[in-house]
Amino acid sequence: MNICGYYPESINEGEGLRAAIFISGCRHRCKGCFSPATWNFNYGEPFTLQRQDEIIADIAANPLLSGLSILGGDPFFSAPEVSAFVDRLLDKAGPVSIWIYTGYTYEELIRDTASPEFELMRRCNVLVDGRFEEALRDPSLRYCGSSNQRIIDIDTSLAAGKPVLWTEKYSFHS
Amino acid sequence: MALKNYAYNNEEQMLGEIMKLGEDIIDSRDLELLRENANLNGESFSGKMSKFGSEYAKWYAKHFIMPQPVVSAIDDNYVYVHDLDQYAIGTTNCIFIPFDKLLREGFNTGNGSVRPPNSIMTAMALVAIIFQSQQNSQYGGVSSNKLDHDLAPYVAKSFAKYFRKGLDYFEEHPQTDLGDISMSRTDLKERYPKTFRYALKETEIETLQGAESLIHNLNTMSSRAGGQIPFTSINYGTCTSPEGQLVIDSLLTATMRGLGSGETPIFPIQIFKCKQGINQAPGEPNYHLFLKAAECSARRLYPNFANLDAPLNLQYYNPADPDTEFATMGCRTRVLSDRFGRNHLSGKGNLSFNTLNLVKLGLEHGIALGRRKTADEKGFYRALSHYLEIALEGLLHRFRIQAAQKAKASDFMMREGVWEGGEQLGPEDKVGDLLKHGSLSIGFIGLAECMKAMYGKHHGEDSAIYDKAFAVIAHLREYCDRKSEELNLNITLFATPAEGLSGKFTKRDRVTYGSIEGVTDREYYTNSFHIPVYYPITAARKIQLEARFHDLCNAGAISYIELNGNARSNPAAFLNIVQYALSQQVSYFSINHPIDRCSACGHEGIIGATCPSCGAHEKDVHIRRLRRVTGYLTGDFQTRFNSAKQAEVRDRVKHTQ
Ligand code: SF4
């Protein structure tokens, strides 16, 4: 598996300051995709164990981070590898809040609870789901690109048996 | 008077130099000269007029007034004397204004006397007038260190006025004397609910209007020489009375609403004072205002955050006296302690400061020039001591000129007691004995490039170098403390905000030494002790590294974090970063983030080449790009910044993506 980007700190991919990793490879091919180059599974650099450990160390050492965001491409096309990385992270750095982005919908991901995709989602806390729809593009949306996409609280949704939207911790009023 | 410092070969040569000074200004030949100060439109008539005076005043000071070693140190690019044009006439730098006293007692502007205000609207209007009256008594910033505390009584006056009106309207006639009517009188609220609600509503409306007019006033009065807007700063955040809270809330609301067409106000610089127990955690009385301040800062770049709990500031804090709460001139100047006992803020200020070019000392004694294999630390410290002496000599010489001025020269400041005790002086009396409560500061610039020149790395790159860098600044502080004792004066260490200066030192050093990688190859030197803006480092690490320097810089310092992204849509990140910086004992902190404004549709946020909202391209419509330099905002960095600062903005790596 390759990654095509890593930010040690970002404010654009989820609540709080988060580390962000971009996993290469996507087969959704949304029209107007922000970066078709990331569709290629060979794009970027190999996500070696050494690179993983560097990033895990960064995350563990940064007192300001609210967590990690995993984006792409679409990480769900590499679900088993990404799950393995998440396990490694949680094992070495303790509890870390994880946001994950995908072109699949929540409903698609829970269809088969034995699938590697479901396994990956289960490990994360917040899912930003849905394909990018050019007609629904809205630059004023936070943490996503088009208005069909949802920000879903994974644990609450699984418990409730239906998708429950995530609510922010702090909010500015106006 | 005889020429003191410079021997011309003949009078013609001297005349030639003077004439060139004028011609450069008239023809706008030297844009760098005209843009030295981003707050001044140097290409306008009034800007040129003021430049004329200023350039000649500098020339005169250097040739006729100043001690020779100081002039040589300036000419050799080791020392910078700030506001040199004010040197010969003995003007002082900045002040915290005792608004409480001026409003309570009324004042005289020189052209007419003003009665104490009876409503918050009038009080807010008078704040602008006081700022304006004071600003030409000095050359630097004018600041309010506790505007919420100072204005709360006038909110109460407005409230009482509306309350009495309300009793009449709603026919809730009281049987007994009501005593002092104020917003915290819950008993009145129970007995006269309609009246109380009416009075509250009206007071809120009036306070907000007052705050809006104050901010508009402070952005539009080009009353300073050269058509400048006065450098105004307001500090607030700790007053917990309902009246004080309303002042804070209204100032924040007005700032968020912006100016006439919704644009971000440049002035006043606003500083929110953070104090545990008052506004730092849920349940504390002003926590909601801290959250609102963070929101405002995420939208408008202000307020910045002052840390009352940092040890440097906490030691003077007396909860019963808001005048002992740390506050700052927006640019970072700090005056709190006073060896003559005035350990509070208002009624005094900084007198002047001189800045050392650490980079040149580093080049002379380091490895960067290839003259030696290891840095000559002994030589470095010897030279540092030498130039410290000269910088101080300049401050003391200037102080004698300042002290010899008559009270009538800084008329409003002294007559009205803006400078504490000034009201007791006659117009002909000398001000010296009062000025000693102010501070004389030694500043420094380019610690990062200095380390690079000495050792090949800066203090963000290597922990051993960090220790050496820390030792240099600790040495400067020890020197200031020692001299304070010896001379019985307030001599303090300043992390210089170097707007015009950062490029000037560099330009001349590059002529001398050529372009040296990581040292002179950029157009500016890094501000004070900061980690260079172009160096990739996480926000947390930058805060940790810079925090320890704050405690050393008792004349003031600020740390910034650059955020790349829409700060206003991620309040959690914004709050985390601010509170982390406070927890690390950073004394004064702010977050920089880009604010672009499309002039076609008014969209504000981050705008690349095309506006994400209306699709207009920057080739066709003006995109106003607001950035911060040295603590002040500047309307549009491409047209008003000098080239060194433009380069700095271009080079900033965002600490977060
Ligand atoms: S899911 Fe994302 S990466 Fe994949 S095509 Fe759609 S927008 Fe592009």
Side-chain angles (χ1 to χ4, degrees):
Chain A
M1 181 178 77
N2 278 12
I3 61 168
C4 51
Y6 163 59
Y7 297 140
E9 294 176 334
S10 170
I11 63 164
N12 301 321
E13 284 90 19
E15 183 179 58
L17 199 61
R18 314 183 73 82
I21 298 179
F22 297 79
I23 310 287
S24 305
C26 181
R27 295 193 190 94
H28 292 302
R29 297 169 190 273
C30 307
K31 193 164 161 285
C33 166
F34 65 100
S35 138
T38 65
W39 297 354
N40 183 340
F41 285 81
N42 295 317
Y43 185 62
E45 49 158 331
F47 201 33
T48 59
L49 282 184
Q50 192 197 336
R51 188 72 182 115
Q52 296 186 16
D53 286 345
E54 280 168 25
I55 290 176
I56 291 170
D58 274 5
I59 293 172
N62 191 334
L64 267 177
L65 291 187
S66 301
L68 167 72
S69 293
I70 305 175
L71 309 92
D74 187 336
F76 283 87
F77 288 110
S78 315
E81 293 104 311
V82 177
S83 287
F85 166 68
V86 169
D87 288 342
R88 197 175 170 80
L89 169 76
L90 297 178
D91 183 42
K92 296 197 172 191
V96 174
S97 133
I98 299 177
W99 282 44
I100 193 157
Y101 282 66
T102 182
Y104 289 117
T105 59
Y106 174 82
E107 289 77 4
E108 286 169 328
L109 291 173
I110 59 164
R111 213 166 279 160
D112 176 3
T113 52
S115 68
E117 289 78 16
F118 182 82
E119 276 299 313
L120 173 57
M121 186 186 81
R122 196 184 53 76
R123 285 168 164 77
C124 303
N125 306 92
V126 173
L127 180 79
V128 184
D129 84 336
R131 292 162 53 108
F132 174 68
E133 299 278 353
E134 205 168 20
L136 300 175
R137 173 183 171 272
D138 180 352
S140 70
L141 293 171
R142 62 165 94 158
Y143 315 138
C144 53
S146 56
S147 60
N148 61 303
Q149 296 172 322
R150 298 170 297 179
I151 307 178
I152 292 171
D153 187 316
I154 297 171
D155 290 336
T156 325
S157 300
L158 290 176
K162 57 171 194 220
V164 179
L165 294 185
W166 164 84
T167 46
E168 62 192 344
K169 204 153 99 203
Y170 298 104
S171 76
F172 287 158
H173 302 98
S174 39
Chain B
M1 194 183 208
L3 265 179
K4 205 167 164 183
N5 283 317
Y6 196 102
Y8 291 100
N9 291 329
N10 52 46
E11 277 188 9
E12 242 169 69
Q13 195 193 1
M14 182 166 113
L15 206 58
E17 193 177 308
I18 299 176
M19 285 169 67
K20 189 170 173 302
L21 276 180
E23 284 165 3
D24 281 356
I25 295 165
I26 292 175
D27 301 342
S28 301
R29 233 180 266 164
D30 191 345
L31 274 186
E32 287 301 299
L33 179 75
L34 298 177
R35 286 184 190 173
E36 241 173 72
N37 175 343
N39 186 30
L40 179 95
N41 180 359
E43 286 152 88
S44 69
F45 288 136
S46 58
K48 285 182 182 182
M49 193 61 222
S50 114
K51 269 286 158 200
F52 244 107
S54 157
E55 287 308 305
Y56 181 68
K58 285 186 207 172
W59 184 89
Y60 182 86
K62 280 175 75 175
H63 292 98
F64 292 98
I65 305 284
M66 296 171 68
Q68 208 283 322
V70 181
V71 175
S72 301
I74 296 174
D75 289 343
D76 296 340
N77 215 31
Y78 287 108
V79 172
Y80 188 82
V81 174
H82 293 263
D83 301 285
L84 183 56
D85 51 351
Q86 306 277 346
Y87 194 111
I89 54 173
T91 331
T92 52
N93 185 4
C94 54
I95 198 166
F96 287 103
I97 297 176
F99 282 102
D100 48 356
K101 180 173 80 178
L102 290 163
L103 292 174
R104 193 174 54 237
E105 295 168 5
F107 55 92
N108 191 316
T109 63
N111 295 313
S113 63
V114 176
R115 277 191 300 272
N118 279 314
S119 70
I120 182 62
M121 188 74 186
T122 320
M124 293 262 199
L126 292 186
V127 166
I129 290 171
I130 292 169
F131 268 136
Q132 191 176 18
S133 302
Q134 170 59 25
Q135 47 107 21
N136 278 320
S137 295
Q138 35 148 89
Y139 57 82
V142 274
S143 187
S144 152
N145 56 317
K146 49 177 174 63
L147 197 60
D148 44 356
H149 294 275
D150 293 342
L151 288 178
Y154 305 96
V155 177
K157 281 194 177 187
S158 282
F159 181 77
K161 181 182 70 188
Y162 290 119
F163 194 87
R164 283 196 201 91
K165 233 189 213 173
L167 289 173
D168 205 32
Y169 284 169
F170 300 107
E171 297 183 4
E172 294 182 316
H173 299 299
Q175 308 302 320
T176 52
D177 179 32
L178 292 177
D180 273 347
I181 299 167
S182 78
M183 284 164 59
S184 43
R185 288 280 300 278
T186 44
D187 59 321
L188 294 182
K189 190 175 177 179
E190 274 161 30
R191 265 187 287 160
Y192 313 103
K194 280 188 191 148
T195 297
F196 196 94
R197 207 173 47 204
Y198 159 79
L200 191 60
K201 198 91 223 128
E202 290 295 322
T203 309
E204 283 168 0
I205 293 169
E206 193 191 312
T207 309
L208 181 57
Q209 274 175 353
E212 288 196 318
S213 77
L214 175 63
I215 289 170
H216 272 74
N217 268 327
L218 296 185
N219 275 283
T220 50
M221 52 183 184
S222 302
S223 54
R224 193 166 185 144
Q228 287 192 73
I229 298 173
F231 288 109
T232 53
S233 310
I234 57 177
N235 294 257
Y236 52 75
T238 55
C239 186
T240 53
S241 72
E243 289 86 359
Q245 289 175 330
L246 182 57
V247 170
I248 302 168
D249 190 70
S250 302
L251 286 166
L252 290 169
T253 303
T255 307
M256 280 197 270
R257 284 193 189 170
L259 296 181
S261 51
E263 70 267 38
T264 294
I266 307 292
F267 285 106
I269 297 171
Q270 302 184 33
I271 300 109
F272 190 88
K273 298 196 289 185
C274 302
K275 178 79 194 73
Q276 286 163 21
I278 294 180
N279 56 30
Q280 284 302 294
E284 296 176 358
N286 284 7
Y287 185 62
H288 64 294
L289 294 169
F290 171 67
L291 293 184
K292 186 161 178 166
E295 174 179 4
C296 185
S297 192
R299 294 165 63 92
R300 300 297 192 188
L301 290 161
Y302 291 140
N304 304 336
F305 300 90
N307 187 358
L308 275 55
D309 294 301
L312 178 74
N313 304 326
L314 195 60
Q315 57 181 318
Y316 299 103
Y317 176 72
N318 168 5
D321 180 5
D323 206 11
T324 63
E325 294 173 356
F326 166 63
T328 168
M329 299 285 158
C331 77
R332 75 191 67 181
T333 307
R334 178 181 180 281
V335 276
L336 183 46
S337 60
D338 170 28
R339 57 188 300 110
F340 307 104
R342 290 185 185 168
N343 291 317
H344 54 250
L345 288 103
S346 66
K348 63 182 187 172
N350 176 257
L351 300 173
S352 64
F353 60 105
N354 290 345
T355 291
L356 296 174
N357 180 359
L358 293 180
V359 188
K360 181 158 183 172
L361 294 173
L363 279 165
E364 288 291 314
H365 301 93
I367 58 169
L369 297 178
R371 293 183 194 155
R372 57 180 74 79
K373 287 258 177 309
T374 54
D376 171 14
E377 293 183 355
K378 268 205 183 113
F380 173 83
Y381 274 100
R382 210 178 306 122
L384 186 61
S385 299
H386 176 69
Y387 286 106
L388 271 169
E389 290 291 334
I390 291 177
L392 181 62
E393 180 184 352
L395 289 174
L396 296 174
H397 178 260
R398 188 174 190 164
F399 177 61
R400 285 194 289 277
I401 298 176
Q402 292 169 327
Q405 299 309 309
K406 293 174 176 169
K408 66 181 181 186
S410 45
D411 187 37
F412 183 77
M413 170 159 100
M414 290 301 166
R415 192 190 58 232
E416 301 301 323
V418 181
W419 193 284
E420 192 174 330
E423 68 279 16
Q424 279 140 29
L425 297 181
E428 301 291 331
D429 291 345
K430 298 211 162 91
V431 296
D433 202 47
L434 290 178
L435 289 193
K436 72 178 186 207
H437 296 284
S439 59
L440 302 166
S441 306
I442 294 180
F444 61 92
I445 189 170
L447 181 62
E449 288 81 7
C450 171
M451 290 297 110
K452 203 96 184 166
M454 287 285 281
Y455 309 107
K457 284 182 180 169
H458 63 68
H459 55 302
E461 293 177 290
D462 184 306
S463 69
I465 306 298
Y466 180 86
D467 293 342
K468 291 189 187 291
F470 191 80
V472 170
I473 306 307
H475 177 88
L476 298 181
R477 172 62 189 277
E478 279 157 26
Y479 176 84
C480 292
D481 286 355
R482 190 168 75 243
K483 289 295 170 180
S484 296
E485 289 299 320
E486 266 173 52
L487 299 163
N488 199 22
L489 284 168
N490 294 308
I491 295 161
T492 50
L493 181 65
F494 193 38
T496 300
E499 191 191 330
L501 173 57
S502 92
K504 274 188 218 164
F505 271 156
T506 319
K507 209 181 205 169
R508 294 187 48 207
D509 284 347
R510 198 186 304 140
V511 170
T512 314
Y513 304 102
S515 172
I516 297 163
E517 201 209 318
V519 184
T520 56
D521 60 341
R522 288 190 164 73
E523 288 172 76
Y524 54 88
Y525 287 153
T526 296
N527 222 309
S528 63
F529 54 73
H530 289 175
I531 305 297
V533 293
Y534 48 83
Y535 183 69
I537 186 170
T538 62
R541 191 78 192 122
K542 184 172 196 287
I543 289 169
Q544 288 161 9
L545 291 175
E546 292 185 4
R548 282 181 64 211
F549 289 98
H550 279 253
D551 201 45
L552 294 175
C553 298
N554 56 347
I558 188 167
S559 279
Y560 291 113
I561 285 299
E562 306 290 328
L563 277 188
N564 191 8
N566 203 346
R568 48 184 98 174
S569 64
N570 197 336
F574 202 90
L575 280 174
N576 279 355
I577 297 171
V578 171
Q579 291 200 306
Y580 182 73
L582 298 175
S583 77
Q584 294 294 303
Q585 318 296 9
V586 166
S587 175
Y588 182 34
F589 181 74
S590 198
I591 296 180
N592 287 329
H593 49 94
I595 299 182
D596 301 330
R597 183 180 174 84
C598 171
S599 56
C601 69
H603 172 81
E604 265 198 355
I606 299 172
I607 305 179
T610 53
C611 171
S613 176
C614 72
H617 194 275
E618 66 176 350
K619 281 204 304 258
D620 306 318
V621 302
H622 181 61
I623 310 283
R624 181 176 183 259
R625 301 187 189 277
L626 192 65
R627 300 292 183 271
R628 176 183 351 237
V629 267
T630 71
Y632 295 105
L633 300 189
T634 304
D636 197 330
F637 86 97
Q638 290 125 316
T639 56
R640 282 288 188 88
F641 282 13
N642 61 51
S643 62
K645 279 294 158 186
Q646 285 190 25
E648 187 194 308
V649 170
R650 276 197 308 274
D651 283 359
R652 285 179 183 170
V653 273
K654 313 303 176 187
H655 303 112
T656 69
Q657 282 296 323

